[in-house]
Amino acid sequence: MQLPNNANNTKNANIAKELYDIVIIGAGITGCMTAYKLAGYNLRVAVAEAGDDVARGSTRANSAIVHAGYDPVPHTVKAEMNVKGCAQMPYICEKLKVKYRACGSLVAAFFEEETAALRTLYDRGTLNGVPGLELIDAARLRALEPNIADSAVAALWAPSAGIVCPYGLCIAAAEAAAAAGTEFFFDFSVNGIVKDDDVFHIAAEDGRVLRARCAVNAAGAHVREIALMAGEDNFPVRIIPRRGEYMLLDKSEGRTVSRPLFSVPTDKGKGILLTPTVDGNMIVGPNSHVVDSPDDTATTADGLAELTEGAARTVKNLNTRAVITSFSGIRSTPDSGDFYIKASDTVPGLLHLAGIESPGLASSPAIADRALELLFAMGLKAEARCGFTGERPPVIRMDELDDGAKQRLIEHNPAYGRIVCRCEGITEGEIVDAIRRLPGASSLDAVKRRTRAGMGRCQGGFCSSRVAAILSRELGIGMEDITKNGGASYILTGGQR
Amino acid sequence: MSGDNLTESKNTDKPDNNIKSYNNIEKKVVIIGGGPAGLAAALEANRGGIPPGEILIIERDRELGGILNQCVHAGFGLHLFGEELTGPEYAQRFIDEIKAKKIGYVTDSMVLSVSPDRTVTFISPRLGFGRIAAGAVVLAMGCRERTRGALNIPGSRPAGIFSAGTAQHYVNIDGYMPGNRVVILGSGDIGLIMARRMTLEGAEVRCVCEIMPYSGGLARNIAQCLDDFGIPLLLSHTVTEIRGRERVEGVVVSRVDENLRPVPGTERYIECDTLLLSVGLIPENELTREAGIEIDRVTGGAVVNQDMETSVEGIFACGNALQVHDLADYVTLEAYRAGMSAAAYALRGPGAQDPAGMIPTRAGEGIRYIVPHKIARGAAAGVKLFFRVSGIYRDVTVRLTAGVSEKGVTNNVRLRDYKKRIVTPGEMEQIEITEKTAAQLQNAVSIGVELCKKET
Amino acid sequence: MQKRNMTCIVCPVGCRMEVEVDDDGRVTGVKNNACARGKKYADTEITNPQRTLTSTVRIDGAAESFLPVRTAEPISKGRLSDAMAVIRALRVSAPVSMGDALANFDGVDIIACKTTDTRTQ
């Protein structure tokens, strides 16, 4: 069996027979963007992911901003990756058919004494090579963002920043890679790595083993565990999981600001960010609190109050009661403060993409480029893959079609005429596509991330039972086996009537 | 297969032959939604003189009946039929009549847009893309449930959190029990009904938490759904944290103070695998908004006149899309009015507003809202004012008033008093404007309802 | 004699009644009931409480997998779980019309609440 016809069929006992050129551990934006760039070469690549889908860690829950690059300290790896990655992002999004908005970003100062901090960011950004940075006065700031709080005095304007759907980008990169033959293994929680005769044997908790000549450690919050498993005794990076809480507001608030609006960090705390999403909602967040476990993505009453108050200090006319949902994400902050992108000295063939916290999303294309350079420097030989265009296989979005095209599509396949998610207008056809594409959705949340079904005002109240039934039919599993997001997150645990 | 009964679609197996007939066709009355409101509006439009083939109900589900199909409990029809029916039985009576009269309907069809000039577009798997020019439109989309996110409960985000209606669909339509140990947040009627339903199916309902000091559900549902089974109702309590990584493992419940803020130190952990939310309903009005129709911020539904006509002429609204009702019977009665008005409009065409002008209704002391929002001066007699109160009041007087303007000052003059032993926000109240009262509105600038705790 | 508070469940008004019961367990007085049905309800509620049971049963050959059903009349409240066991074991086939008796429990019919659409998907 060469290619699995579905992500779920990859629980294949025979996979140990395959010898991959590269196994990437972790299917977040770092791992998937690396897989995407590797797909341009004639290599056998596998991606091993502990979750049930791509984009399950920090990629799922972050600010969805392509940062310009004025924040990182100059001459760090982070600064270089950020500016280079940000520059690539519009082109990559175009190839992958992912919504990207080149809206720029603002950092606002609300007290005169904060303007010095704006100057510092401006100088940093200039040193980092961020194009187009400007310090602007209150009048110009107000013209750009009419809802800014009256107390705002000045801002840093970074026109090269943008917004993107982070998991949408990750899924698109994974799909483009899968179309070129990259194999994805989900629920593959790595618990042992052995190197034998120049071959890595990467074992999962459930007994599956992947064999590869090279291994890429892109395990996000878990990079240190993976490094230690692989025999990297002196791995220098320690991850401090910092949780950031967010609120997602209804589209009714989606125009409160037109671009990411940061506040100057002060000793009173880090300002709360407001940013529109590419789908027209408004995100408020994040705060920042160190937590014990990188899996602790709970929200707290205090945290959500912090966001509401912070937002009220930043802008006027925001109805924070229009909350659709709240969530939190984990930043995999490295203790060194910088990205650690390096081939192992002690374990040949092992590459670390570690400590990738914000701006990891913006940096991801550049990190992937650097990863390829380092892999080729290890002696990996490859030729360009014939016919690889870097494009993602086409995805049908009914709401982007005109009436005639809708008509023809429904005639061709009636499932495109049955709306399952009323709030977002998503059809059964689109949901079936999301399940059948590679890597396919196998849980309610995975469908939601691909199609937006269940993401609207009613938060799946109407469609979740219908989506569960479609998943059950398409995957050939019982309703009781349908999960929210893999593992034991079963939807129906009370038995059949 | 859909339950579409249109003649165009009967004579062929090839759906594409039908599609053309749905694209750019004309109908006198198009009704969006085939639940209790839509069914009643269609029947009444027919009684109002519209031929069955000139009426089209567009229903998104596979069958007519709307949410009634999953409301398998009894409690419907007492006002209208003098007997207690289950939701499906109540619906069936109307569906049978629709079918007998051959009134047009399409199922499995979702309306995408309604324009102010009454062009309705929809898509459906079998009929493709449809575009209909309607003489009149009745909005009868019903409502949806408020979600957890809207309440912003802190904690983790595991599986096992359902709105009561979603759980109801799983149990009654799909035949699956969402879980075994259940906490219910909110004492709305659907939550109470589900407490009984899941208990009868073998689940343990640990408690129902209600943040308000009173229940939002009907008193009899507290009695027959909770008390009958010994399920505790915790008033002035809410869920302050959800725990569990993959599936719900428990919730933290806290008492709240008079400002509805959790009281520190009252936290209590309750183990459960399921959290049901029954925290209110919101009229479904995306289409209404997109059509540019004025919306009442309190009801969440359209602003309407005594004919249930919205701010866009020829477009009418009724049922839970207009205001959340406590009883389906009232939905039906309201929809009759909308259906009759839509028929009249479709027959007479645009124009012809009441020359004596419109009187706005005014929600006074203790009243949250009144529907309709305005009444044509010449057509007030027989109009029913539907309203909800803002709290529980015992032994109160509900006063109907007229706003009278003198020298630039408006006074609200008493028209009529109605004594009530108890009024609660969970129950809809109504006052019918009598001939006599209507005659007193000649010079009124408004018509109001207010609560007086004492006679004055 | 004792007084009991009781919510009448006969109609949506839900009168909060005060019921006087003598030492033999007979209702001697009902207060705060808006209509005569309240008094009748209080009587049966004290002597032999009755409830209408509603549920669903599996159905074959219909568009949906489950058919809503109810007891044609109220049954003894203490027998609800036994009636549920009967309903749970019941399986019917389309076509079914609203009002059809599908089974019998304690002399009361369990009836269909819906006319099935026999056309299949």
Side-chain angles (χ1 to χ4, degrees):
Chain A
M1 189 178 106
Q2 287 301 306
L3 279 179
N5 59 10
N6 190 295
N8 294 284
N9 297 342
T10 53
K11 288 181 182 173
N12 187 331
N14 295 326
I15 58 177
K17 285 183 187 162
E18 302 286 343
L19 178 59
Y20 294 96
D21 292 308
I22 300 160
V23 166
I24 299 168
I25 300 167
I29 191 65
T30 305
C32 286
M33 199 55 84
T34 303
Y36 171 60
K37 297 245 173 179
L38 281 170
Y41 297 87
N42 253 336
L43 292 165
R44 289 192 44 67
V45 180
V47 180
E49 165 59 42
D52 72 317
D53 193 10
V54 302
R56 283 303 315 278
S58 307
T59 306
R60 175 188 63 85
N62 57 69
S63 307
I65 295 167
V66 180
H67 294 272
Y70 48 75
D71 223 17
V73 176
H75 313 302
T76 56
V77 180
K78 198 187 255 185
E80 183 190 351
M81 294 295 115
N82 186 355
V83 176
K84 284 183 175 168
C86 175
Q88 280 189 46
M89 199 58 88
Y91 307 101
I92 287 189
C93 289
E94 199 181 325
K95 282 232 172 214
L96 290 174
K97 302 275 185 298
V98 172
K99 280 188 211 165
Y100 170 86
R101 204 196 301 165
C103 50
S105 71
L106 287 165
V107 185
F110 295 91
F111 299 95
E112 281 302 334
E113 54 267 36
E114 289 177 359
T115 52
L118 291 184
R119 166 60 67 175
T120 306
L121 291 176
Y122 176 86
D123 291 344
R124 261 193 208 175
T126 307
L127 261 176
N128 290 347
V130 179
L133 284 178
E134 275 183 83
L135 288 166
I136 61 172
D137 61 13
R140 231 182 115 195
L141 169 58
R142 234 170 282 287
L144 284 168
E145 295 297 348
N147 287 321
I148 188 91
D150 293 336
S151 54
V153 290
L156 174 68
W157 167 231
S160 63
I163 55 174
V164 69
C165 171
Y167 49 82
L169 177 64
C170 187
I171 290 164
E175 286 182 4
T182 304
E183 291 177 55
F184 286 81
F185 297 89
F186 294 110
D187 303 314
F188 198 105
S189 188
V190 174
N191 75 341
I193 301 172
V194 176
K195 195 164 183 209
D196 191 16
D197 284 344
D198 284 345
V199 171
F200 287 97
H201 294 251
I202 300 164
E205 271 174 5
D206 61 8
R208 285 178 292 171
V209 177
L210 289 168
R211 300 192 312 145
R213 295 186 197 284
C214 297
V216 177
N217 177 10
H222 300 281
V223 280
R224 185 173 178 82
E225 293 149 67
I226 296 295
L228 296 181
M229 263 183 232
E232 186 81 86
D233 294 333
N234 297 313
F235 191 62
V237 183
R238 279 172 204 282
I239 299 294
I240 306 153
R242 280 189 308 132
R243 184 171 66 193
E245 292 167 81
Y246 294 90
M247 296 192 302
L248 181 73
L249 304 189
D250 193 277
K251 288 177 182 173
S252 64
E253 307 306 306
R255 292 168 191 274
T256 308
V257 293
S258 304
R259 52 189 62 75
L261 175 64
F262 299 88
S263 301
V264 171
T266 64
D267 46 355
K268 292 190 192 86
K270 195 169 182 280
I272 291 302
L273 156 76
L274 284 100
T275 176
T277 70
V278 285
D279 292 307
N281 298 86
M282 181 69 34
I283 289 179
V284 177
N287 54 12
S288 175
H289 296 284
V290 173
V291 287
D292 294 335
S293 159
D295 299 319
D296 182 0
T297 53
T299 54
T300 63
D302 291 347
L304 298 176
E306 203 180 322
L307 302 188
T308 308
E309 287 157 22
R313 280 197 299 272
T314 313
V315 292
K316 304 180 284 195
N317 306 323
L318 180 73
N319 175 15
T320 47
R321 285 167 59 203
V323 178
I324 292 179
T325 187
S326 53
F327 58 91
S328 74
I330 294 295
R331 305 177 184 83
S332 306
T333 306
D335 53 358
S336 67
D338 198 5
F339 293 169
Y340 183 83
I341 301 173
K342 208 167 172 301
S344 168
D345 295 331
T346 49
V347 186
L350 177 64
L351 172 65
H352 299 293
L353 309 178
I356 313 297
E357 59 167 340
S358 176
L361 174 63
S363 305
S364 59
I367 294 172
D369 287 341
R370 177 65 51 86
L372 263 61
E373 283 167 25
L374 292 170
L375 285 167
F376 290 135
M378 286 174 187
L380 188 73
K381 298 260 183 301
E383 286 168 20
R385 184 182 298 278
C386 200
F388 182 77
T389 61
E391 285 179 14
R392 170 196 203 179
V395 174
I396 291 168
R397 304 253 180 238
M398 284 299 277
D399 63 356
E400 292 170 2
L401 303 179
D402 64 32
D403 297 349
K406 279 184 185 142
Q407 170 82 39
R408 286 189 296 279
L409 196 58
I410 298 168
E411 283 174 35
H412 175 68
N413 179 356
Y416 290 109
R418 180 176 292 120
I419 289 192
V420 174
C421 167
R422 291 182 286 162
C423 302
E424 299 291 323
I426 309 301
T427 64
E428 181 174 347
E430 292 166 274
I431 291 168
V432 169
D433 288 347
I435 299 167
R436 291 186 185 169
R437 282 201 306 268
L438 291 176
S442 61
S443 65
L444 286 186
D445 281 0
V447 168
K448 178 158 87 174
R449 283 189 292 269
R450 282 166 180 75
T451 64
R452 294 188 59 79
M455 208 170 267
R457 293 178 178 89
C458 89
Q459 288 287 292
F462 173 76
C463 69
S464 59
S465 63
R466 277 107 175 147
V467 174
I470 295 169
L471 274 166
S472 161
R473 184 190 73 206
E474 289 294 316
L475 301 177
I477 58 176
M479 282 288 275
E480 289 157 291
D481 296 322
I482 304 298
T483 64
K484 180 173 186 291
N485 49 29
S489 64
Y490 296 107
I491 303 293
L492 301 166
T493 59
Q496 209 170 341
R497 284 206 58 243
Chain B
M1 185 195 265
S2 300
D4 165 29
N5 72 343
L6 286 196
T7 46
E8 295 99 299
S9 57
K10 277 259 162 108
N11 306 325
T12 172
D13 297 316
K14 281 191 172 177
D16 38 331
N17 287 349
N18 309 326
I19 291 163
K20 287 186 188 75
S21 60
Y22 283 90
N23 211 345
N24 300 318
I25 61 161
E26 291 180 12
K27 291 281 173 191
K28 286 266 189 251
V29 176
V30 169
I31 293 157
I32 302 172
L39 294 170
L43 289 171
E44 195 69 3
N46 178 229
R47 283 192 279 267
I50 308 291
E54 279 297 324
I55 301 171
L56 182 65
I57 305 172
I58 306 176
E59 164 58 38
R60 64 176 156 72
D61 222 325
R62 282 182 298 193
E63 53 182 353
L64 294 174
I67 207 71
L68 290 172
N69 287 320
Q70 69 183 58
C71 297
V72 303
H73 57 279
F76 302 84
L78 207 62
H79 286 267
L80 238 59
F81 302 117
E83 58 183 308
E84 278 231 278
L85 303 173
T86 62
E89 288 171 302
Y90 187 84
Q92 190 77 54
R93 295 199 174 198
F94 294 89
I95 294 168
D96 286 348
E97 205 178 337
I98 293 276
K99 288 184 177 172
K101 290 185 170 157
K102 296 193 163 46
I103 290 173
Y105 66 88
V106 290
T107 58
D108 218 357
S109 302
M110 176 87 181
V111 172
L112 303 176
S113 68
V114 179
S115 71
D117 69 353
R118 303 181 303 283
T119 302
V120 178
T121 65
F122 71 91
I123 62 169
S124 129
R126 205 167 55 81
L127 307 169
F129 183 84
R131 178 189 299 277
I132 306 167
V137 173
V138 179
L139 304 172
M141 294 84 70
C143 58
R144 63 184 148 88
E145 296 179 279
R146 280 183 71 196
T147 64
R148 171 207 175 187
L151 293 150
N152 234 358
I153 306 168
S156 55
R157 297 155 47 78
I161 306 167
F162 305 86
S163 70
T166 306
Q168 191 176 43
H169 190 279
Y170 275 125
V171 176
N172 291 344
I173 305 290
D174 302 320
Y176 290 90
M177 286 286 281
N180 296 313
R181 306 184 84 199
V182 186
V183 168
I184 300 178
L185 173 60
S187 60
D189 284 313
I190 315 170
L192 300 177
I193 297 289
M194 283 312 291
R196 174 177 62 183
R197 184 83 182 97
M198 291 190 74
T199 304
L200 284 169
E201 288 292 349
E204 180 197 353
V205 178
R206 308 220 54 196
C207 66
V208 175
C209 294
E210 170 58 60
I211 194 167
M212 302 303 285
Y214 51 82
S215 164
L218 295 172
R220 70 162 178 171
N221 282 339
I222 309 269
Q224 64 186 350
C225 298
L226 300 188
D227 299 349
D228 270 7
F229 303 95
I231 299 167
L233 170 62
L234 308 178
L235 295 175
S236 297
H237 277 73
T238 193
V239 172
T240 48
E241 191 187 338
I242 297 169
R243 290 192 195 158
R245 214 168 67 79
E246 295 183 305
R247 175 82 192 190
V248 173
E249 287 162 18
V251 297
V252 176
V253 163
S254 303
R255 191 159 57 74
V256 298
D257 61 22
E258 51 275 22
N259 299 316
L260 309 183
R261 297 210 173 259
V263 179
T266 62
E267 297 87 359
R268 186 153 38 122
Y269 181 68
I270 301 179
E271 258 182 52
C272 61
D273 60 21
T274 303
L275 175 65
L276 295 195
L277 304 175
S278 181
V279 290
L281 301 170
I282 302 169
E284 190 78 76
N285 275 305
E286 292 322 302
L287 293 170
T288 319
R289 267 187 206 97
E290 281 160 26
I293 291 167
E294 191 187 345
I295 302 277
D296 177 343
R297 285 190 73 109
V298 180
T299 59
V303 169
V304 294
N305 68 14
Q306 76 287 343
D307 294 331
M308 305 293 128
E309 188 175 23
T310 67
S311 62
V312 173
E313 121 174 82
I315 301 183
F316 300 79
C318 57
N320 282 349
L322 176 61
Q323 58 173 330
V324 174
H325 292 65
D326 53 349
L327 296 178
D329 298 55
Y330 295 145
V331 166
T332 301
L333 292 172
E334 187 173 276
Y336 281 158
R337 194 160 184 112
M340 183 59 77
S341 309
Y345 182 89
L347 293 173
R348 87 168 180 258
Q353 280 288 331
D354 192 298
M358 305 299 286
I359 313 172
T361 56
R362 180 190 65 89
E365 180 70 32
I367 307 294
R368 278 187 59 225
Y369 69 81
I370 302 174
V371 172
H373 303 78
K374 49 196 174 181
I375 299 169
R377 200 177 299 276
V383 170
K384 280 189 179 130
L385 301 178
F386 288 91
F387 58 93
R388 278 185 197 257
V389 297
S390 56
I392 287 192
Y393 300 97
R394 288 172 201 283
D395 300 314
V396 289
T397 301
V398 179
R399 174 165 297 169
L400 189 65
T401 64
V404 178
S405 223
E406 257 179 88
K407 296 171 192 159
V409 181
T410 304
N411 287 311
N412 292 306
V413 181
R414 175 170 71 178
L415 291 175
R416 226 179 140 167
D417 280 353
Y418 301 83
K419 293 230 174 68
K420 287 269 175 186
R421 196 185 306 143
I422 184 166
V423 288
T424 78
E427 291 167 24
M428 222 165 82
E429 302 289 336
Q430 50 176 301
I431 291 177
E432 186 170 336
I433 299 176
T434 60
E435 294 270 358
K436 195 178 144 211
T437 310
Q440 290 173 277
L441 295 171
Q442 288 310 320
N443 301 310
V445 295
S446 66
I447 177 161
V449 178
E450 59 193 44
L451 288 187
C452 314
K453 280 164 213 162
K454 272 184 191 158
E455 288 262 26
T456 48
Chain C
M1 197 191 74
Q2 60 180 126
K3 277 186 186 171
R4 282 181 56 180
N5 290 316
M6 186 184 289
T7 303
C8 177
I9 64 167
V10 172
C11 88
V13 174
C15 290
R16 287 82 167 168
M17 306 186 296
E18 202 180 285
V19 182
E20 279 180 15
V21 184
D22 69 14
D23 296 338
D24 299 330
R26 276 183 310 224
V27 175
T28 52
V30 180
K31 278 191 214 159
N32 297 341
N33 53 318
C35 74
R37 285 177 302 174
K39 189 177 175 321
K40 196 175 154 215
Y41 171 75
D43 274 334
T44 48
E45 189 65 8
I46 294 296
T47 51
N48 178 19
Q50 306 270 306
R51 297 288 183 270
T52 296
L53 179 63
T54 63
S55 188
T56 56
V57 300
R58 270 201 173 273
I59 181 162
D60 300 311
E64 305 291 338
S65 312
F66 288 86
L67 175 76
V69 298
R70 69 172 165 99
T71 55
E73 289 161 37
I75 59 170
S76 181
K77 185 173 149 186
R79 298 278 286 153
L80 287 177
S81 57
D82 294 323
M84 278 302 291
V86 170
I87 285 172
R88 224 175 272 129
L90 201 56
R91 191 169 184 135
V92 298
S93 295
V96 170
S97 291
M98 180 167 72
D100 284 359
L102 307 170
N104 192 283
F105 178 81
D106 282 358
V108 174
D109 282 340
I110 293 165
I111 60 169
C113 295
K114 190 170 176 172
T115 301
T116 54
D117 202 346
T118 48
R119 289 174 294 176
T120 48
Q121 282 292 315

